[in-house]
């Protein structure tokens, strides 16, 4: 007996549907002919054995990563980012530059106040350790963390009383104001320049004396390899014994024959000794010029 097979739209007989096996794809539309699997518009029939949505159906609806929905999402995100970028208008330079300058000044002030301050060496009293024109970095953090001056350390201190002559005053009000601001934030050495740098020879409670060519502290000879070539420890000026008051330090220059230090001010306040409260901090390094860079250590040693 002849069996009439259902004809496909193209006139060719289709294969019989076998449960669990998808029907053949239409070569032109890529859809299953058997409506038991996919309906006339390529949608799955929920009542068919293939009614559960599969990867093909998701792809047909554009939900796969490469589908139309994914493309719309990417395009929308790109447009959103462009809109956000377009919404950020750059600040004009006349706002940016002052803001950057203000931040730089604040940072410089914090460094000067809590970390390091730069001083210029004006004389040869510390040669050859420090030379005229050297810029030295003074560790201001050390005193804040409990450091106190010790024998042998080079330190910067404020003039304890008429050790220095009066400093000249800038008569130009504009340059005077600018130098005052830069000095205040620590970008240039202190404007009044009433600071000195010397080496600690003895501290409070110790007894210092110099006779002939020998310097002693508490009766023990001090070895001084840092002295300027040709100088000895006394440089022709004998003194002592002098007991350094508590809370004071006795200081002398490395260029002993060219240094107006504690030896020269024995008739002044403190008997030539300098109050520890006047000490800014230990000299940690020579930071300029590049040809004379040097590092003395965190506390000058």
């Amino acid at each position: 007996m002849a069996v009439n097979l259902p004809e496909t739209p193209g006139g060719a007989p289709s294969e019989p549907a076998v449960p669990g096996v998808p029907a053949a794809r239409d070569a032109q539309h890529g859809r299953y002919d058997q409506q038991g699997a996919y309906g006339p518009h390529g949608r799955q029939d929920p009542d068919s054995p293939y009614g559960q949505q599969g990867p093909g159906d998701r792809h047909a609806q554009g939900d796969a990563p490469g589908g139309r929905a994914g493309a719309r999402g990417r395009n929308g995100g790109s447009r959103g980012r462009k809109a956000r970028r377009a919404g950020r208008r750059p600040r004009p330079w006349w706002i940016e530059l002052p803001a950057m300058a203000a931040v730089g000044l604040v940072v410089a002030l914090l460094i000067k106040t809590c970390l390091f301050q730069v001083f210029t060496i004006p004389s040869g009293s510390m040669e050859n350790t420090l030379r005229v024109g050297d810029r030295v970095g003074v560790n201001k953090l050390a005193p804040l963390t409990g450091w106190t001056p010790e024998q042998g350390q080079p330190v910067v201190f404020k003039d304890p009383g008429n050790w220095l002559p009066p400093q000249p005053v800038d008569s130009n009000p504009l340059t005077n104001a600018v130098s005052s601001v830069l000095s205040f934030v620590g970008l240039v050495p202190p404007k009044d320049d009433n600071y000195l740098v010397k080496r600690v020879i003895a501290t409070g409670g110790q007894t210092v004396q110099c006779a002939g060519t020998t310097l002693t502290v508490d009766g023990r000879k001090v070895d001084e390899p840092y002295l300027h070539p040709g100088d000895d420890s006394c440089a022709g000026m004998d003194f002592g014994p002098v007991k350094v008051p508590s809370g004071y330090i006795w200081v002398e220059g490395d260029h002993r024959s060219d240094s107006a230090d504690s030896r020269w001010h024995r008739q002044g306040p403190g008997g030539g000794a300098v109050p520890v409260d006047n000490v800014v901090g230990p000299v940690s390094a020579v930071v300029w010029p590049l040809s004379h860079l040097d590092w003395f250590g965190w506390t000058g040693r």
Side-chain angles (χ1 to χ4, degrees):
M1 182 175 66
V3 178
N4 294 325
L5 298 174
E7 294 188 359
T8 62
S14 65
E15 295 180 3
V18 180
V21 180
R25 287 181 178 272
D26 181 272
Q28 179 178 0
H29 302 290
R31 296 180 180 136
Y32 290 114
D33 281 338
Q34 242 181 294
Q35 295 185 11
Y38 287 84
H41 302 291
R43 305 282 300 184
Q44 283 186 334
D45 185 348
D47 297 329
S48 74
Y50 309 102
Q52 303 299 322
Q53 283 194 349
D57 190 55
R58 287 196 300 273
H59 182 74
Q61 296 179 47
D63 293 334
R68 289 190 300 274
R72 285 196 300 270
R74 288 192 298 274
N75 292 338
S78 177
R79 285 194 298 270
R81 285 191 296 272
K82 289 179 181 177
R84 287 193 295 272
R85 283 197 296 268
R88 293 197 207 101
R89 299 180 61 183
R91 297 186 185 92
W93 65 268
W94 61 84
I95 294 178
E96 288 281 356
L97 288 182
M100 292 173 62
V103 171
L105 290 176
V106 170
V107 171
L109 181 60
L110 290 174
I111 291 174
K112 172 213 167 183
T113 303
C114 303
L115 296 177
F116 287 90
Q117 186 172 358
V118 175
F119 291 84
T120 300
I121 304 302
S123 71
S125 66
M126 283 293 290
E127 290 178 337
N128 281 333
T129 306
L130 303 175
R131 303 170 187 173
V132 178
D134 280 356
R135 297 285 181 93
V136 297
V138 176
N139 181 1
K140 298 187 73 173
L141 182 61
L144 300 177
T145 56
W147 169 87
T148 56
E150 296 180 4
Q151 184 179 349
Q153 296 174 331
V155 296
V156 167
F157 56 93
K158 192 175 181 66
D159 187 346
N162 302 319
W163 282 33
L164 292 171
Q167 302 301 307
V169 178
D170 190 349
S171 59
N172 187 319
L174 178 59
T175 57
N176 186 43
V178 171
S179 62
S180 296
V181 171
L182 296 179
S183 174
F184 175 74
V185 299
L187 295 179
V188 299
K191 184 174 179 297
D192 52 9
D193 204 21
N194 61 341
Y195 291 84
L196 301 97
V197 56
K198 306 291 180 187
R199 191 177 296 273
V200 178
I201 300 299
T203 59
Q206 292 183 319
T207 299
V208 58
Q209 182 177 7
C210 208
T213 61
T214 303
L215 176 70
T216 61
V217 174
D218 290 339
R220 293 187 294 272
K221 181 181 177 181
V222 179
D223 185 23
E224 299 189 283
Y226 43 73
L227 287 176
H228 186 276
D231 275 0
D232 58 54
S233 294
C234 298
M237 182 178 288
D238 294 357
F239 67 89
V242 175
K243 185 171 183 178
V244 181
S246 177
Y248 285 73
I249 54 175
W250 186 270
V251 295
E252 298 182 13
D254 290 355
H255 195 171
R256 205 59 50 87
S257 61
D258 188 29
S259 177
D261 44 41
S262 291
R263 300 170 301 157
W264 289 84
H265 298 280
R266 284 174 287 160
Q267 304 305 317
V274 176
V276 172
D277 290 342
N278 283 37
V279 177
V280 178
V283 176
S284 290
V286 176
V287 298
W288 187 263
L290 296 179
S291 60
H292 194 213
L293 294 181
D294 203 355
W295 172 252
F296 304 122
W298 182 252
T299 57
R301 289 189 178 276

